[in-house]
Amino acid sequence: MHEIDSYSGDYIASCRWRIESQVAAFDLLRAQAPTDGSMDGALQDIEDEFFVAMVAQLEGMFAYRRREDEGSAPGPLQELRAVVVSLNANGGRFDPPAASGLDASTTVLRIDPGDPIVLDREGFQELSDAFFDALEDAYVEAA
């Protein structure tokens, strides 16, 4: 597949909506759980796995974006890719490319190389929002 150098604002908005609706479904599940604590462990297991899957889905929606359009400074576009690669190939420990400049001072998730990646609802939401904002800045087609 060829690299993509722009996306329509409508496509990005529809992807954002899909991600937000899936997060809302998780929130509904959590809200309907018993308040006696009997489901806390199961909910935590679901949250851990759900947001790992969500970050992979988010990257997949834009996996063919042209890297040259991301800019040279570290940011959420590079972070998301590095997180997904690290989850798949580095046992869940953050392993960004050496020259990327991604570390706790530049990442939305505030993680350093070698740190375990923890994706809870809050962290995923922050990364997702930052990713979509950066994507719109770098890839939206000029009208």
Side-chain angles (χ1 to χ4, degrees):
M1 173 130 200
H2 70 282
E3 292 181 315
I4 297 172
D5 62 0
S6 66
Y7 295 96
S8 72
D10 288 343
Y11 176 73
I12 293 172
S14 71
C15 291
R16 188 186 290 254
W17 179 86
R18 272 193 359 220
I19 294 294
E20 289 173 354
S21 67
Q22 290 168 330
V23 172
F26 173 81
D27 291 342
L28 182 61
L29 173 70
R30 180 186 278 163
Q32 293 180 349
T35 58
D36 65 1
S38 62
M39 293 289 295
D40 289 354
L43 281 173
Q44 186 61 53
D45 291 345
I46 291 168
E47 182 173 8
D48 294 343
E49 293 301 319
F50 181 77
F51 289 105
V52 165
M54 290 295 295
V55 80
Q57 179 183 2
L58 180 55
E59 172 64 19
M61 292 173 168
F62 303 96
Y64 295 105
R65 65 188 181 276
R66 190 169 64 187
R67 308 298 190 251
E68 294 84 27
D69 295 333
E70 293 182 353
S72 59
L77 299 172
Q78 298 88 348
E79 180 179 354
L80 181 67
R81 183 179 315 104
V83 164
V84 171
V85 169
S86 296
L87 287 167
N88 290 331
N90 198 39
R93 294 207 170 268
F94 192 51
D95 186 27
S100 70
L102 292 168
D103 60 29
S105 69
T106 61
T107 58
V108 174
L109 296 175
R110 295 169 287 289
I111 51 178
D112 276 316
D115 287 351
I117 298 168
V118 178
L119 281 166
D120 58 10
R121 189 224 183 277
E122 181 182 329
F124 175 78
Q125 188 68 59
E126 289 176 22
L127 181 57
S128 175
D129 289 344
F131 176 81
F132 277 115
D133 292 346
L135 191 72
E136 288 170 343
D137 290 343
Y139 291 94
V140 170
E141 299 171 333

